């Protein structure tokens, strides 16, 4: 892995603008040059290089080119498991192509929510045959063909390969990889002549009856003619160097900023109409290029139906969190499943955005606070001050949770003045925001943001933080409910399946159970090993339809019935018939498959009965594997009078029987016979392993267990030679 520091630089500073001393010290910027060359070769519009963080499964953006980094703010740090093209490229070690707006919406909805514009994207891993160093993405305007050409594919792949080799050499030589500035072009600020080329051209523009502005890629005004200043109502001197929506109060609306973003990303002309108070409508038309935007401003006819609320004049400070980040966070939080998912997302996306350095998420149980998760504290023991605090106690965490009113402390002195007890538990931070997490009208927790330095919280910042608390609360409420159901499901599953397998003379046994990856992590698959009188044991494996609480409850009844019928001494065929009648008598509309066998290792025999269950595999001592296609009857629960014939099977010492449910071999697009053959080959190759290792090997290497759509149960039995 490559560990690099954050390559984020301010403004549009390019490599050429970096200080001379820095350039001399670090030499040529490796990442910037590689990215610029790659984009030039394939005529891409923008791009970025990500490097794997040292010691973390995280991709960090090192360099961005062609667009301001703010456009990609939600994805400056990307977990390798994230549903994002660059992460997928590294995981799968292949090029990921997204051909346009519809393709993006279908495959990566989180990105489409934040960037709902027509553009194409390619993401590639930066990796050698043995090591992944990071990833690169490049984008094209919406006019790019829906397919990537062979020439573009070859250029991108070759360029990423060359960069991976350079990174490999850099690490081998133990040379540090310094931060590099982003490559964002733009016109220098100055007069009209410098912007438009000649004095005469500037005079011509000044005489035009409509307004003209030139914006760089960051949206800053580098030129405005007199007509533009007159129409907008702001002098040219106050416009230059500012963003249009920041310097003109009535243009400070996310909808107008969105048009600027849409024009730059899609490279298509966009326009909008805005009301200049008290009643004059102006038309803005944006003409994009790879270096910025030209904006034509003119009077528009009255638009009666567009009755926008007029912003109040005042000091419009830069927004604490942009609309891009809010949309990205909202999309990400909808995918957070567990409480720890929520904590991780807040730590990765909100904490950096609001400028804080640490985070604690609190919940309540039995009238006391408890810590749900935390990040950023050098000494985790300091977080223990929150755990177990009574809600009735006068502490900011408890007060915020019980009252639903946020609390902001700009300094330690302010906190200690209101809560003197806090003096005894310093945490090393200097300012705090305590945000109530309210969902469905009730408090679900408290989010504590800590700042390393004293921090003022003006009214607009408090409003933003409180609103963000609402987003977090909704995700946390869902996650708490999921975690509670998850714990119930696991407890029920553990109660219904054997805690351990009994030790038997002449038989070694091992079992595995894996819940489906969809649903409640609980299902109807079961197994059991029952000691019996006269012979070594009876073994059973089965599968009730579904993976939910109903299936699990029915599974528990069937397993108990099989144990009872075995204990009273019924023969294998009778056990199956009795269990079948019981299932029908219960009136359930679900069916079950089952495989039951009576083991007699002293005689080297096993007697088996089957009810619609996948056939077991037998590995002989010589390593050959045979599929035991046993005679059998229908699924349990269909026909109360169905017979269940039995089959005798030789079980020589050293033989291994593999009993399994269909979740081990069934996967979309996989032929069952091929999957069964693959399982037999695995059993043949690894059959000499200790049984627990063999069970792990079979489960780990089965294609069906990678994306489990069904539960998996596996029971392995090895006949031991006589001592």
């Amino acid at each position: 892995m490559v560990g690099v520091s954050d390559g984020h630089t301010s403004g549009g500073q390019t490599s050429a603008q970096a200080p001379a001393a820095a350039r001399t010290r670090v030499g040529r910027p490796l990442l910037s040059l590689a990215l610029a060359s790659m984009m030039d070769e394939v005529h891409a519009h923008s791009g970025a290089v990500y490097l794997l963080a040292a010691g973390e499964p995280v991709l960090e953006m090192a360099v961005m080119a062609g667009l301001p980094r703010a456009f990609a703010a939600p994805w400056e740090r990307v977990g390798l498991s994230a549903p994002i093209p660059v992460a997928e490229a590294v995981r799968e070690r292949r090029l990921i192509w997204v051909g346009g707006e519809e393709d993006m919406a279908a495959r990566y909805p989180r990105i489409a929510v934040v960037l709902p514009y027509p553009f194409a994207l390619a993401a590639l891993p930066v990796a050698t045959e043995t090591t992944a160093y990071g990833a690169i993405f490049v984008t094209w305007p919406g006019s790019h063909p829906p397919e990537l050409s062979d020439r573009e594919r070859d250029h991108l792949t070759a360029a990423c390969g060359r960069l991976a080799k350079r990174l490999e050499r850099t690490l081998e030589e133990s040379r540090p990889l310094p931060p590099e500035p982003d490559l964002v072009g733009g016109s220098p600020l100055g007069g009209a002549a410098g912007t438009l080329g000649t004095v005469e051209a500037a005079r011509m523009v000044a005489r035009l009856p409509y307004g003209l502005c030139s914006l760089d890629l960051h949206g800053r005004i580098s030129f405005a003619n007199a007509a533009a200043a007159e129409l907008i109502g702001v002098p040219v001197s106050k416009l230059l160097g500012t963003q249009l929506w920041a310097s003109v109060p009535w243009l400070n609306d996310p909808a107008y900023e969105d048009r600027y973003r849409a024009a730059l990303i899609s490279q298509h002309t966009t326009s909008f109409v805005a009301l200049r108070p008290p009643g004059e409508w102006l038309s803005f038309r944006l003409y994009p290029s790879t270096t910025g935007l030209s904006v034509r401003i003119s009077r528009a006819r009255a638009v009666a139906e567009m009755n926008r609320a007029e912003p109040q004049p005042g000091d419009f400070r830069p927004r604490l969190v942009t609309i891009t980040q809010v949309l990205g966070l909202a999309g990400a939080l909808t995918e957070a499943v567990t409480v720890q998912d929520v904590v991780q997302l807040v730590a990765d996306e909100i904490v950096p955005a609001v400028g804080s350095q640490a985070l604690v998420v609190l919940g309540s149980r039995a009238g006391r606070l408890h810590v749900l998760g935390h990040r950023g504290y050098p000494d985790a023991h300091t977080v223990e001050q929150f755990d177990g605090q009574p809600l009735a106690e006068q502490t900011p965490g408890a007060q915020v949770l019980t009252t639903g009113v946020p609390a902001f402390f700009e300094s330690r002195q302010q906190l200690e003045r209101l809560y003197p007890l806090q003096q005894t538990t310093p945490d090393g931070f200097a300012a705090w925001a305590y945000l109530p997490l309210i969902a469905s009208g009730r408090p679900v927790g408290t989010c504590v943001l800590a700042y390393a330095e004293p921090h003022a919280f003006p009214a607009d910042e408090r409003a933003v933080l409180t609103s963000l608390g609402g987003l977090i609360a909704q995700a946390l409420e869902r996650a708490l409910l999921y975690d509670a159901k998850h714990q119930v499901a696991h407890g029920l599953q553990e109660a219904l399946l054997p805690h351990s397998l009994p030790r038997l003379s002449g038989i070694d046994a091992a079992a595995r159970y894996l819940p489906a990856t969809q649903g409640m992590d609980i299902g109807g698959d079961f197994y059991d090993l029952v000691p019996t009188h006269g012979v070594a044991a009876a073994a059973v494996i089965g599968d009730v339809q579904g993976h939910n609480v109903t299936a699990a409850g029915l599974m528990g009844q069937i397993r108990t019935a099989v144990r009872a019928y075995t204990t009273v001494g019924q023969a294998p065929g009778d056990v199956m018939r009795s269990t079948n009648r019981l299932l029908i008598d219960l009136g359930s509309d679900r069916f079950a498959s089952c495989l039951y066998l009576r083991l007699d290792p002293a005689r080297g025999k096993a007697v088996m009965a089957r009810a619609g269950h996948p056939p077991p595999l037998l590995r002989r001592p010589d390593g050959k594997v045979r599929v035991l296609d046993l005679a059998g009857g229908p699924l349990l629960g269909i026909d109360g009078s169905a017979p269940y014939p039995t089959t005798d099977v030789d079980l020589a010492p050293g033989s291994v029987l593999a009993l399994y449910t269909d979740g081990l071999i069934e996967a979309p697009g996989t032929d069952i016979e091929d999957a069964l053959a693959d399982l037999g080959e695995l059993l043949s190759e690894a059959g000499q392993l200790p049984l627990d290792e063999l069970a792990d090997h079979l489960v780990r290497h089965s294609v069906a267990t990678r994306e489990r759509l069904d539960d998996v149960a596996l029971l392995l039995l090895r006949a031991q030679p006589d001592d």
Side-chain angles (χ1 to χ4, degrees):
M1 286 198 175
V2 176
V4 295
S5 57
D6 185 6
H8 190 175
T9 57
S10 61
Q13 186 183 27
T14 64
S15 297
Q17 294 169 322
R23 294 202 306 274
T24 302
R25 183 176 67 253
V26 303
R28 300 176 68 192
L30 172 62
L31 304 178
S32 303
L33 288 177
L35 179 60
S37 174
M38 184 184 307
M39 291 170 56
D40 186 57
E41 286 175 345
V42 297
H43 308 295
H45 169 223
S46 71
V49 179
Y50 286 81
L51 295 177
L52 278 163
E56 292 184 88
V58 171
L59 289 166
E60 294 181 328
M61 186 183 290
V63 173
M64 186 162 183
L67 288 174
R69 185 175 287 233
F71 280 47
W75 308 289
E76 286 205 63
R77 279 174 54 88
V78 175
L80 277 183
S81 60
I84 302 296
V86 286
E88 190 173 325
V90 175
R91 289 197 307 270
E92 301 185 7
R93 294 291 190 96
R94 66 180 180 91
L95 185 150
I96 304 296
W97 168 249
V98 185
E101 191 173 9
E102 292 184 6
D103 195 15
M104 183 69 78
R107 294 165 57 194
Y108 305 102
R110 276 178 57 178
I111 297 178
V113 166
V114 179
L115 302 175
Y117 316 118
F119 68 97
L121 178 145
L124 300 91
V126 177
T128 62
E129 291 184 1
T130 59
T131 307
Y133 296 96
I136 283 181
F137 79 75
V138 292
T139 70
W140 293 264
S143 55
H144 189 283
E147 297 297 331
L148 192 66
S149 71
D150 290 340
R151 185 193 71 82
E152 291 169 328
R153 183 180 295 270
D154 292 344
H155 274 305
L156 291 171
T157 303
C160 285
R162 290 193 297 270
L163 178 57
K165 289 293 186 183
R166 293 191 188 109
L167 289 172
E168 184 178 52
R169 287 197 299 270
T170 298
L171 288 182
E172 287 174 352
E173 297 168 3
S174 298
R175 285 186 288 145
L177 199 62
E180 297 183 24
D182 290 342
L183 303 176
V184 183
S187 304
L189 301 180
T195 303
L196 300 178
T198 68
V199 173
E200 187 53 40
R203 289 172 179 167
M204 179 193 72
V205 169
R207 291 193 294 265
L208 291 174
Y210 49 80
L212 279 180
C213 289
S214 178
L215 276 59
D216 67 12
L217 291 176
H218 294 276
R220 295 177 303 222
I221 302 169
S222 54
F223 167 79
N225 67 358
E230 182 180 353
L231 287 168
I232 293 173
V234 178
V236 171
S237 60
K238 292 187 177 181
L239 289 174
L240 293 180
T242 69
Q243 293 175 318
L244 192 61
W245 48 88
S247 57
V248 183
W250 46 272
L251 287 178
N252 195 317
D253 187 312
Y256 303 146
E257 184 183 350
D258 178 73
R259 294 296 80 205
Y260 141 79
R261 290 154 45 81
L264 281 185
I265 292 176
S266 68
Q267 290 291 290
H268 290 169
T269 300
T270 64
S271 61
F272 62 88
V273 177
L275 176 65
R276 175 188 170 182
E280 184 176 21
W281 289 94
L282 297 180
S283 171
F284 293 79
R285 193 160 183 82
L286 285 65
Y287 301 89
S289 76
T290 57
T291 59
L293 292 166
S294 296
V295 182
R296 183 181 186 272
I297 308 170
S298 59
R299 287 182 173 84
R301 286 174 296 179
V303 188
E305 66 273 16
M306 293 183 63
N307 187 21
R308 284 188 171 274
E310 180 182 335
Q312 295 299 315
D315 179 20
F316 284 84
R317 302 182 327 112
R319 283 188 291 278
L320 177 69
V321 178
T322 66
I323 189 68
T324 303
Q325 290 168 305
V326 171
L327 289 171
L329 177 66
L333 286 173
T334 61
E335 298 177 7
V337 176
T338 68
V339 170
Q340 289 309 309
D341 290 342
V342 175
V343 173
Q344 190 64 52
L345 276 168
V346 174
D348 288 346
E349 303 199 25
I350 287 188
V351 168
V354 302
S356 68
Q357 284 71 46
L359 160 79
V360 180
V361 178
L362 303 172
S364 65
R365 183 173 54 240
R368 292 181 178 273
L369 291 175
H370 63 103
V371 177
L372 299 176
H374 62 89
R375 298 290 186 277
Y377 282 82
D379 183 2
H381 292 294
T382 60
V383 180
E384 294 176 1
Q385 64 175 301
F386 297 106
D387 220 30
Q389 287 181 351
L391 291 180
E393 193 171 294
Q394 292 297 307
T395 63
Q399 289 284 97
V400 165
L401 183 61
T402 54
T403 65
V405 178
F408 301 93
F409 305 98
E410 300 182 357
S411 66
R412 172 161 291 280
Q413 291 75 18
Q414 188 180 62
L415 175 65
E416 292 175 350
R417 185 171 65 252
L418 295 173
Y419 296 93
L421 290 177
Q422 295 296 118
Q423 296 182 42
T424 61
T425 55
D427 58 10
F429 292 95
W432 300 264
Y434 284 76
L435 307 177
L437 304 180
I438 310 295
S440 305
R442 67 181 187 86
V444 295
T446 301
C447 178
V448 185
L449 299 171
Y451 297 76
E453 303 292 337
H455 184 86
F457 295 96
D460 58 342
E461 183 168 333
R462 295 183 184 212
V464 168
L465 291 173
T466 304
S467 299
L468 289 174
L471 287 177
I472 300 167
Q474 293 177 31
L476 184 61
E477 182 183 45
R478 291 193 304 270
L480 288 168
L481 181 61
Y482 174 86
D483 282 355
K485 288 182 177 179
H486 189 75
Q487 290 175 5
V488 170
H490 272 275
L492 179 58
Q493 194 79 57
E494 289 178 3
L496 294 175
L497 290 174
H499 292 287
S500 61
L501 297 176
R503 292 184 178 274
L504 302 171
S505 174
I507 292 291
D508 189 14
R512 295 293 182 269
Y513 172 80
L514 285 77
T517 53
Q518 298 179 7
M520 283 187 63
D521 279 2
I522 187 171
D525 289 20
F526 67 96
Y527 60 85
D528 206 352
L529 190 60
V530 186
T532 59
H533 298 293
V535 294
V540 63
I541 192 166
D543 183 3
V544 179
Q545 285 178 313
H547 38 89
N548 52 30
V549 173
T550 302
L554 193 58
M555 172 266 282
Q557 291 175 298
I558 292 174
R559 176 173 166 250
T560 301
V562 169
R563 266 189 166 263
Y565 297 137
T566 298
T567 302
V568 298
Q570 287 192 2
D574 293 333
V575 171
M576 284 297 223
R577 285 189 289 272
S578 299
T579 307
N580 179 45
R581 286 194 298 269
L582 172 69
L583 188 55
I584 292 173
D585 291 344
L586 288 173
S588 171
D589 58 355
R590 294 175 183 258
F591 307 128
S593 70
C594 190
L595 178 66
Y596 180 91
L597 61 152
R598 194 68 58 83
L599 300 163
D600 190 354
R603 296 176 52 233
K605 295 288 184 182
V607 181
M608 302 191 186
R610 184 161 70 110
H613 199 80
L617 299 179
L618 174 64
R619 183 188 188 276
R620 295 171 177 167
D622 61 5
K624 293 182 179 178
V625 174
R626 172 183 161 207
V627 178
L628 300 180
D629 193 9
L630 311 172
L635 293 168
L636 302 177
I638 294 179
D639 180 2
S641 61
Y644 291 93
T646 60
T647 305
D648 289 354
V649 176
D650 290 331
L651 195 62
S655 300
V656 177
L657 273 171
L659 318 180
Y660 55 91
T661 56
D662 53 12
L664 187 65
I665 57 173
E666 289 187 1
T670 302
D671 182 80
I672 294 295
E673 291 187 3
D674 291 341
L676 194 55
D678 291 342
L679 181 62
E681 187 174 344
L682 285 172
L683 181 59
S684 176
E685 293 172 352
Q688 295 295 338
L689 291 172
L691 221 53
D692 277 313
E693 293 182 26
L694 178 58
D696 290 335
H697 183 79
L698 295 180
V699 168
R700 184 168 56 249
H701 289 90
S702 168
V703 174
T705 58
R706 293 172 192 168
E707 293 185 16
R708 298 188 304 279
L709 302 180
D710 197 3
D711 312 305
V712 174
L714 173 66
L715 178 61
L716 298 179
L717 304 167
R718 175 179 281 148
Q720 300 287 5
D722 293 332
D723 294 334

